[in-house]
Amino acid sequence: MKTRIRPGRIAVYIILYIIAISMYRFLQSHYTLIMLVIMTAAPVLSIFSCLILRHFVSVKLRAADIYSRRNEVSYLTIEVVNPTFIPSMDVSIHLTCENTFFKNKNSMYVSLPARMHGTYSLMLPMELSMNGIVKYSVDFIRVRDLLGFVDMAKAIDVSAEQSVLPEESGENMKSMSEMNKGMTESEETKKKGHDFSDVSDVREYIPGDKLMSIHWKLSAKRDILMVKDRESMSDQQMVVLISLAGTNQDIDSILSLGYNIITSLVRENIYVKLLWWNETLFSFEERQISAIEDLNDAFAGMYYGGTYKDSGRIHDYMASIMPHLRSYVEICINDFAEPDAVVVEQG
């Protein structure tokens, strides 16, 4: 990250400067003298003003949505904020797009102008091909002076995150009759804070409503307590374990299949206990899924856990940590190297 000098531009300017000197010697006019003085001062003023602009200019990033869908277009807004009256025709932004879940990233340069005492915004369309958490970041920019002699570098640390969820296929990928063995009588009703209901409507708070039914995000926006109306669901639950073992492509397929299977279960009013192994925390994480919003939040949390190579040890962990489960449904890669929902029986 160094300041770049553009010798080609400088060479062209020197040639023009020599021509201006020759014209002044030949014509001896006030016009050519003024032109020569301007051409002498211009490089100094251009570089000095670029130094000032580099000090004050800044960049902002903003993802259009918290969640986006795999293989669908979402938008990243890039803003160049210039509080000075010194413009630049080219601010080169080093933009990195990193999937922190799969540990892969790509970089590119985006060139935008810096308007005089204003903000220039660009909505950049991004089509994301893999699930996970995508982190957009800018670590440095280069500001070009008006004459184009130098590109002055400046370190910047700005970022924005977006969770990429699987696309909804609209297909019931697994017959319920094949998965019934993964259904278990729920014991969650005995635990405080769990109920078997689905959100049917949102209304204003009425004294006597349960605190767990308050829709906190919506309440904060409207400055009034809003609660979720719920309708009764099944008294059974489906325990689903999503395996995060395999290659990046395998795990991406597992996530897509698991998301769509659980979406189908929720829409059939089947309560789901979603489990996955968090390699970072070295423990199982658990989410109770009764609505699509719960599923989206669970997948966003899952992306922070990391992947692993060996899926066999997860079965051992399940047997030792959760021996009370007679069976569960595992979303994994089957013996035919395809994503599948497999019923695992314990004990």
Side-chain angles (χ1 to χ4, degrees), residues 238-244 262 272-278 284-289 302 308 318 322 324-325 328-329 331:
M238 182 76 72
V239 180
V240 178
L241 171 67
I242 291 188
S243 170
L244 300 178
I262 297 173
V272 177
K273 177 193 283 188
L274 176 60
L275 301 171
W276 69 90
W277 177 256
N278 188 319
F284 283 106
E285 289 206 48
E286 174 184 324
R287 296 290 188 277
Q288 309 295 335
I289 310 298
M302 189 186 304
Y308 45 88
M318 282 289 292
M322 301 184 183
H324 59 281
L325 283 179
Y328 59 89
V329 175
I331 313 297

Side-chain angles (χ1 to χ4, degrees), residues 121-134:
S121 298
L122 172 69
M123 291 184 67
L124 192 65
M126 309 292 287
E127 185 172 345
L128 305 167
S129 60
M130 297 189 76
N131 300 300
I133 290 182
V134 175

Side-chain angles (χ1 to χ4, degrees), residues 98-104 131-133 244 248 251 255 302-307:
E98 178 184 9
N99 190 317
T100 58
F101 182 65
F102 288 117
K103 310 299 183 185
N104 52 35
N131 300 300
I133 290 182
L244 300 178
N248 287 354
I251 297 171
L255 290 170
M302 189 186 304
Y303 295 151
Y304 287 99
T307 63

Side-chain angles (χ1 to χ4, degrees), residues 43-189:
V44 178
L45 292 174
S46 179
I47 293 174
F48 181 72
S49 62
C50 188
L51 283 169
I52 296 174
L53 177 59
R54 181 186 66 170
H55 179 74
F56 288 101
V57 72
S58 62
V59 173
K60 295 181 180 179
L61 296 179
R62 186 175 66 255
D65 301 297
I66 299 175
Y67 300 132
S68 66
R69 293 286 178 184
R70 180 174 174 267
N71 293 327
E72 292 184 5
V73 175
S74 62
Y75 290 91
L76 174 70
T77 300
I78 307 175
E79 295 182 350
V80 177
V81 182
N82 179 13
T84 73
F85 288 94
I86 303 169
S88 174
M89 297 302 295
D90 186 3
V91 176
S92 182
I93 302 167
H94 184 246
L95 177 66
T96 299
C97 178
E98 178 184 9
N99 190 317
T100 58
F101 182 65
F102 288 117
K103 310 299 183 185
N104 52 35
K105 62 181 178 180
N106 293 296
S107 298
M108 62 179 174
Y109 287 92
V110 180
S111 294
L112 300 177
R115 290 177 173 171
M116 294 174 58
H117 198 65
T119 300
Y120 186 90
S121 298
L122 172 69
M123 291 184 67
L124 192 65
M126 309 292 287
E127 185 172 345
L128 305 167
S129 60
M130 297 189 76
N131 300 300
I133 290 182
V134 175
K135 180 181 180 181
Y136 305 102
S137 61
V138 174
D139 55 354
F140 72 89
I141 62 173
R142 297 186 189 275
V143 182
R144 184 170 297 175
D145 70 302
L146 288 172
L147 293 179
F149 292 160
V150 293
D151 293 332
M152 296 187 179
K154 177 181 180 179
I156 283 184
D157 184 16
V158 294
S159 62
E161 282 190 353
Q162 190 173 44
S163 296
V164 183
L165 301 174
E167 71 275 31
E168 293 190 44
S169 67
E171 299 178 4
N172 191 354
M173 301 183 193
K174 195 75 175 177
S175 170
M176 276 300 301
S177 61
E178 298 177 37
M179 298 174 61
N180 275 341
K181 290 184 179 180
M183 190 80 76
T184 179
E185 292 293 332
S186 174
E187 298 176 359
E188 298 299 327
T189 50

Side-chain angles (χ1 to χ4, degrees), residues 6-19 39 149:
R6 308 184 72 206
R9 279 295 189 93
I10 295 174
V12 171
Y13 194 85
I14 290 174
I15 293 172
L16 293 175
Y17 188 74
I18 293 172
I19 293 173
M39 290 189 69
F149 292 160

